[in-house]
Amino acid sequence: LIPCIGTLCSVPVWAETIRLVQDEAYAPYMTKDGKQPTGIWAEVITQALSRIEGDYDVVLEAVPWSRAVNLVESGQAHGLVGTYYKPDSRPWIGTYSTAPFTENVAVYCRDGVAEAGWSYPQDFKGLTFGNNAGFGTPGQAFFDLVASGLISLQEAPTTDLNLKKLAAGRIDCYVQEQLTAEIAITALGISGITQVLDTSVEDSMIGFRASWQGAEAEGFIAEMDRALAEMMADGTIDQIIATAVAG
């Protein structure tokens, strides 16, 4: 706390800037315009911060996802925006926020490569997958098969690049959130790709690093949860998502 005098002491004034980081190329959820974070999550956080009680200094930055992950893991940022629940691969996240929405994850493959009746990921052994760098979207069982050499993995920075590689036949399949994938497929005018099967429904949350402790952390996380829950209850979250999808 910054030292305070008299009546100023009744309002907490925090010395530390709370740094939240999101992806810069994950439309419609997390994007950027110039240096400005944009997308569904940026709007959610902006509106949540307007409802939070307390004098918190908060910044939201949009960077490549792998860098966002590294910034929180290394202690340079406080919260990873838009993370799924990944306790095994991200043990450095100590607290997850209320999830304002969920994301639907699916497997996309080149036409004729896979069948809808396959079991994921076991039946996809021997294939080459793409993945956004730093994404845990394919799930732990998938990465276990990669580690065992039973599935080949190539990572690219963005959804667009992975879909272009898929369309060009450089990879066989790609696991991605459905809305994100479908928007990119339409925008790129890509054909010859099939949504083979759904893999999971994931809560999208803010993951706060475990090493961030104390009154400021507890107060901010509690206030963020309260604001997000309020926005879910009054329809604000639904409106933000509807506007983003329509636009």
Side-chain angles (χ1 to χ4, degrees):
L1 281 172
I2 297 174
C4 55
I5 300 173
T7 57
L8 292 178
C9 293
S10 63
V11 179
V13 180
W14 304 103
E16 186 174 16
T17 296
I18 299 170
R19 187 182 186 190
L20 306 178
V21 287
Q22 68 163 48
D23 195 4
E24 65 177 16
Y26 184 57
Y29 298 104
M30 297 180 283
T31 51
K32 74 173 182 178
D33 183 3
K35 293 185 178 180
Q36 185 69 26
T38 53
I40 289 171
W41 259 114
E43 184 62 25
V44 167
I45 288 175
T46 296
Q47 294 207 29
L49 291 176
S50 72
R51 304 183 185 211
I52 283 178
E53 297 180 2
D55 191 7
Y56 298 99
D57 180 19
V58 185
V59 297
L60 174 64
E61 300 174 20
V63 297
W65 183 251
S66 56
R67 174 163 169 72
V69 172
N70 178 261
L71 285 170
V72 181
E73 182 178 11
S74 63
Q76 298 176 71
H78 300 80
L80 181 64
V81 175
T83 182
Y84 299 161
Y85 181 66
K86 301 291 180 183
D88 294 330
S89 59
R90 296 173 189 159
W92 35 268
I93 292 179
T95 305
Y96 290 86
S97 74
T98 294
F101 52 85
T102 59
E103 299 181 17
N104 300 302
V105 179
V107 180
Y108 294 83
C109 297
R110 290 184 292 109
D111 290 350
V113 167
E115 299 177 10
W118 281 11
S119 176
Y120 175 84
Q122 290 79 12
D123 290 339
F124 291 81
K125 294 174 183 176
L127 298 181
T128 299
F129 275 71
N131 186 46
N132 290 36
F135 272 37
T137 307
Q140 190 58 50
F142 170 88
F143 288 110
D144 288 344
L145 291 179
V146 172
S148 300
L150 298 175
I151 287 178
S152 297
L153 179 63
Q154 297 181 17
E155 293 199 319
T158 67
T159 299
D160 285 3
L161 286 174
N162 274 300
L163 287 171
K164 288 177 180 178
K165 290 174 66 176
L166 185 57
R170 294 168 58 192
I171 57 176
D172 300 309
C173 300
Y174 174 48
V175 180
Q176 185 54 290
E177 197 277 333
Q178 291 180 28
L179 183 57
T180 297
E182 295 299 335
I183 287 175
I185 289 169
T186 300
L188 294 169
I190 288 176
S191 60
I193 294 175
T194 301
Q195 180 181 327
V196 180
L197 53 85
D198 298 337
T199 66
S200 63
V201 176
E202 303 284 354
D203 288 332
S204 183
M205 301 170 282
I206 307 170
F208 296 99
R209 75 169 196 261
S211 60
W212 187 36
Q213 300 286 333
E216 180 182 27
E218 293 173 5
F220 179 77
I221 292 170
E223 277 297 302
M224 178 60 75
D225 280 349
R226 183 190 60 76
L228 291 175
E230 182 181 274
M231 291 166 64
M232 293 166 67
D234 67 16
T236 301
I237 298 294
D238 290 340
Q239 184 58 51
I240 291 172
I241 294 173
T243 300
V245 173

